[in-house]
Amino acid sequence: MDEMDNTMIGRGRDAIEMIVDEGTFVENKVGDADFDPEYGPGSVVGTAKLEGTTCTVIANDAYAFNERFPVVFGGVIGLEEGYKMATAVYRSMEADADKPLAEKRPLILIVDTPGNGPGKMEEIAGMNKSTGGYQLALAEARKAGHPVIAMVIGRAISGAFLCHGLQADHILALSKDFGTMIHVMPITSISRITKMDIERLEELSKVNPVFAPGVDFFYNLGGVQEIVNKVEDMRPVIAKHVKEVAALKAAGEYEKLGPWGRGLLGDERGGRVNRLKAIAKMNEEFAAVADKYLNA
Amino acid sequence: MRSWNELETGSFFDANARERAVGMVDKGSFTELLGPLDRFMSPHLPVLGTAVEFDDGTVTGVGLIGKHPVFVISMEGKFIGGAIGEVNGAKMVGSIRLALKTAEELKAAHPDDYEERRPMVVISFETGGVRLHEANAGLLAHAEVMDAFQDCRKKLPVVSVVGSKVGCFGGMGFVAAATDVIIMNEQGRIGLTGPEVIEQEMGKEEFDASNKALVYRTTGAKHKYIIGDCNYLVEDKIGAFHAALADVAAKSMEEIEGMRRIGSLKLVQEQQGLVKLVGDMQPKDSMDLWKYYGNEDPAELPEMTTEEFLKVVKRRVRP
């Protein structure tokens, strides 16, 4: 397959149309709240229906440029974008605050972002709060019962993936045939910063899921729940995961979902087998001394 | 290792991760969990021909402040820049989950005086974020920590302590921002994008990463204190951090929730006010903002001692 013909990189808005029920997406509206169309143009928020169910959609716009914060282009999540995305999450919770668990609207995150805003003004205002604020909002919505599904269609890079994606219940990704990129850094940068030999790194990157870029490696580590092989499958697969997640929430099985659930999956798939052992050993060591701290 | 009494009066900045962990809690109360004797090391570093540490560069354990069990996570910047991989990431998450479990047990065992026994999580950050040698596992661990923080909300305080050489950058920059309370000494720095990367993105004329004063003005504790991101600015003594932690431990969860900068729609709206100000002002330097908040001679602030600074500084007033 020629990936340049098939890639969804830069096509966040197209992806929304491919995923939701035809003609249902209303941008800049979540519940009763309206969003200023000029604000945080690098992110797209709104409401749509997926197989008849009202959901919130949050995506990146790779063609928007933020005039106030010029580091924001190509899908970068800047200060305004992060807070806009967080607001869409809080407004979703607000809209369904009085509804029973089964009626908490799903949040669909369409992920194609190369990074968080890397500028001086961003650091002066505190870009860490914008990206962190969005993550806390997503974690709260997930724990409040909203199914949160992330669909990686293009770039899911490092901190921007943590911001927009890694707090979801389930993460799905288009296969590598679409040029989908999930990583912290390309091998060339890893080599430059760690001063490790690039040829050795490239050799190792073919087999080592723990540091090398790639959708399949993230699958192995539990970071991706399911790989989607055709663009037309995005819609039914997302709908399927919404149902699965909702069923687990109805059963109170929150620990099987989200970042902790991905840890369990990484253990199951053999990609991350040390973390649970480390945690178990810590628990055992604390149990041996707990009395001193519980009855101080 | 130096005695606890020596640690209390010693510099926080110069202390290693274990000294900080021991000195931030009450005398003789610290028990290390998954310490170096366990030799629970990163299995991923040898594959890349990199040396390991027996504690994977992060000290975890439990101590007491009064009757409060304090779960301490303390990062060592001398080991791969304090970066987070699978094992030390798991140590972080494991500590937070232990604190949550302990809170439940204490509530059941001591319903009458639970408040004075309420556990606390303290993280001494010295890190650039993800450890590139095991980047994918490190990235996933960051998300687990954020998730565990949300579980702690309104139940027990999670406190960031930042005042070591490496500062707190990359993904750990937003992890610190997501905690309830931030304590820093003057040398402490918190940010998302490190100075070198900003220079690379924007050019040396816009941001010169070798200009240490500029770097401190942009991400340093005094700036964070002025804009309200740092709750306690303390002297560079481990004992001063210990005292600030004792102050936090004595507060109600409601007061602690009031010290946050993100974590609700109201706080997001407050931060959007700051972003609007910065967007309108287009500051060339943090000092533009310091002046806006009423500091007539912003250039004098970096020169002052912590004590002098705290006497005269004007901070962002929360709406």
Side-chain angles (χ1 to χ4, degrees):
Chain A
M1 202 185 304
D2 180 353
E3 69 181 40
M4 292 321 287
D5 290 343
N6 293 288
T7 184
M8 288 296 291
I9 291 175
R11 297 177 61 198
R13 285 180 180 278
D14 292 347
I16 297 173
E17 297 304 331
M18 293 160 100
I19 290 164
V20 304
D21 297 354
E22 198 180 341
T24 61
F25 180 61
V26 180
E27 192 174 349
N28 294 320
K29 185 126 186 115
V30 177
D32 293 331
D34 292 302
F35 290 72
D36 174 359
E38 304 288 314
Y39 192 85
S43 60
V44 182
V45 304
T47 303
K49 297 220 181 234
L50 177 61
E51 297 191 344
T53 302
T54 298
C55 53
T56 297
V57 178
I58 307 179
N60 311 104
D61 185 342
Y63 293 98
F65 171 69
N66 191 326
E67 286 177 8
R68 292 169 296 280
F69 297 98
V71 297
V72 177
F73 60 91
V76 163
I77 298 171
L79 288 164
E80 290 186 347
E81 283 71 20
Y83 289 129
K84 176 182 175 182
M85 294 159 115
T87 303
V89 178
Y90 286 122
R91 292 300 187 190
S92 306
M93 282 188 266
E94 201 175 77
D96 296 348
D98 300 325
K99 293 183 188 162
L101 188 61
E103 290 171 33
K104 301 280 185 194
R105 71 188 62 194
L107 278 68
I108 311 297
L109 320 180
I110 298 173
V111 182
D112 178 29
T113 173
N116 286 122
K120 181 164 71 180
M121 281 199 293
E122 280 69 18
E123 289 306 311
I124 289 175
M127 185 62 218
N128 59 335
K129 289 176 288 181
S130 174
T131 175
Y134 177 38
Q135 292 174 58
L136 288 178
L138 286 170
E140 188 175 332
R142 173 160 47 75
K143 291 168 199 290
H146 294 268
V148 183
I149 310 294
M151 176 76 232
V152 179
I153 60 159
R155 301 154 297 166
I157 314 297
S158 197
F161 187 30
L162 278 167
C163 174
H164 185 47
L166 280 167
Q167 284 301 324
D169 283 303
H170 278 182
I171 298 172
L172 318 171
L174 280 176
S175 74
K176 62 183 180 202
D177 299 330
F178 294 90
T180 313
M181 291 191 269
I182 307 184
H183 62 234
V184 172
M185 259 184 205
I187 293 285
T188 45
S189 307
I190 294 180
S191 164
R192 185 167 48 81
I193 293 172
T194 60
K195 299 181 176 65
M196 287 188 292
D197 181 55
I198 189 154
E199 274 140 30
R200 175 156 170 73
L201 282 181
E202 272 171 355
E203 196 54 43
L204 282 167
S205 75
K206 291 175 195 152
V207 292
N208 188 322
V210 83
F211 83 94
V215 177
D216 296 348
F217 289 154
F218 268 83
Y219 178 86
N220 199 264
L221 295 166
V224 168
Q225 198 85 17
E226 183 172 346
I227 293 170
V228 180
N229 294 308
K230 289 193 232 139
V231 284
E232 54 272 31
D233 286 350
M234 290 194 291
R235 176 183 157 82
V237 175
I238 292 170
K240 178 186 84 177
H241 281 272
V242 166
K243 288 194 187 86
E244 275 180 32
V245 167
L248 284 166
K249 291 191 178 188
E253 302 259 29
Y254 284 80
E255 292 251 299
K256 290 187 178 164
L257 298 163
W260 183 259
R262 276 186 281 285
L264 301 181
L265 200 58
D267 186 58
E268 217 172 90
R269 290 177 181 169
R272 279 190 293 159
V273 297
N274 304 286
R275 52 181 289 292
L276 281 177
K277 286 182 197 151
I279 291 169
K281 180 83 178 139
M282 279 183 91
N283 290 343
E284 185 192 311
E285 290 183 8
F286 178 66
V289 296
D291 185 59
K292 176 177 170 187
Y293 299 96
L294 290 167
N295 299 302
Chain B
M1 195 167 75
R2 289 180 285 165
S3 74
W4 185 88
N5 290 331
E6 285 169 314
L7 290 174
E8 287 299 278
T9 53
S11 161
F12 185 92
F13 185 77
D14 293 334
N16 66 36
R18 191 159 286 103
E19 291 172 328
R20 280 179 257 135
V22 170
M24 285 192 297
V25 295
D26 293 349
K27 188 173 183 174
S29 71
F30 186 74
T31 303
E32 189 161 346
L33 301 174
L34 211 63
L37 292 177
D38 288 322
R39 304 200 170 194
F40 210 107
M41 303 158 300
S42 165
H44 310 302
L45 293 173
V47 182
L48 300 178
T50 301
V52 296
E53 277 284 5
F54 292 153
D55 59 11
D56 203 33
T58 298
V59 174
T60 46
V62 55
L64 287 166
I65 292 181
K67 291 180 180 177
H68 300 279
V70 180
F71 291 83
V72 183
I73 299 153
S74 184
M75 302 168 189
E76 179 53 62
K78 286 200 183 79
F79 181 61
I80 324 183
I84 302 303
E86 183 184 357
V87 171
N88 64 349
K91 287 172 81 169
M92 272 187 99
V93 178
S95 299
I96 302 165
R97 288 173 70 93
L98 264 177
L100 278 161
K101 186 165 156 273
T102 301
E104 293 307 317
E105 288 174 8
L106 279 168
K107 244 180 237 170
H110 300 278
D112 299 335
D113 62 347
Y114 170 71
E115 283 301 308
E116 60 187 80
R117 294 173 182 275
R118 184 190 60 209
M120 176 156 80
V121 174
V122 174
I123 309 173
S124 174
F125 289 94
E126 189 183 13
T127 175
V130 171
R131 183 187 289 169
L132 293 175
H133 310 70
E134 40 189 305
N136 302 343
L139 194 75
L140 294 165
H142 277 65
E144 290 174 30
V145 173
M146 293 295 277
D147 176 51
F149 281 178
Q150 188 59 30
D151 289 328
C152 295
R153 286 291 293 283
K154 298 173 187 173
K155 288 186 187 145
L156 57 97
V158 180
V159 184
S160 294
V161 168
V162 186
S164 303
K165 195 173 177 192
V166 176
C168 175
F169 286 92
M172 283 291 145
F174 62 67
V175 169
T179 60
D180 294 307
V181 181
I182 299 181
I183 306 173
M184 301 173 85
N185 59 11
E186 203 192 325
Q187 296 99 314
R189 290 177 297 134
I190 301 177
L192 184 68
T193 310
E196 288 79 14
V197 182
I198 300 178
E199 180 184 301
Q200 191 185 315
E201 296 282 336
M202 308 190 74
K204 213 174 174 80
E205 306 74 45
E206 267 299 301
F207 197 88
D208 180 357
S210 65
N211 182 343
K212 258 190 132 178
L214 171 68
V215 170
Y216 270 90
R217 286 199 302 275
T218 310
T219 56
K222 283 178 174 168
H223 173 59
K224 296 290 169 188
Y225 190 76
I226 292 170
I227 64 166
D229 286 5
C230 163
N231 303 95
Y232 293 81
L233 178 64
V234 301
E235 293 285 344
D236 179 35
K237 297 271 183 288
I238 298 179
F241 283 89
H242 182 196
L245 289 169
D247 196 65
V248 175
K251 289 188 186 300
S252 70
M253 277 319 291
E254 202 184 347
E255 281 175 279
I256 288 162
E257 183 72 13
M259 297 170 89
R260 298 187 62 84
R261 52 224 76 73
I262 47 172
S264 68
L265 179 59
K266 192 172 157 284
L267 287 170
V268 162
Q269 289 167 340
E270 198 183 303
Q271 291 299 336
Q272 284 178 305
L274 175 60
V275 171
K276 183 178 185 313
L277 174 68
V278 167
D280 292 345
M281 181 193 273
Q282 300 279 317
K284 289 278 172 216
D285 193 295
S286 289
M287 288 193 288
D288 299 345
L289 218 53
W290 303 355
K291 190 154 190 171
Y292 175 86
Y293 290 124
N295 298 286
E296 291 301 327
D297 269 318
E300 286 184 355
L301 295 177
E303 308 302 324
M304 293 178 185
T305 64
T306 303
E307 199 184 352
E308 290 165 350
F309 173 84
L310 288 172
K311 268 186 208 144
V312 302
V313 67
K314 303 268 195 304
R315 306 174 72 188
R316 177 173 73 89
V317 179
R318 294 180 62 174

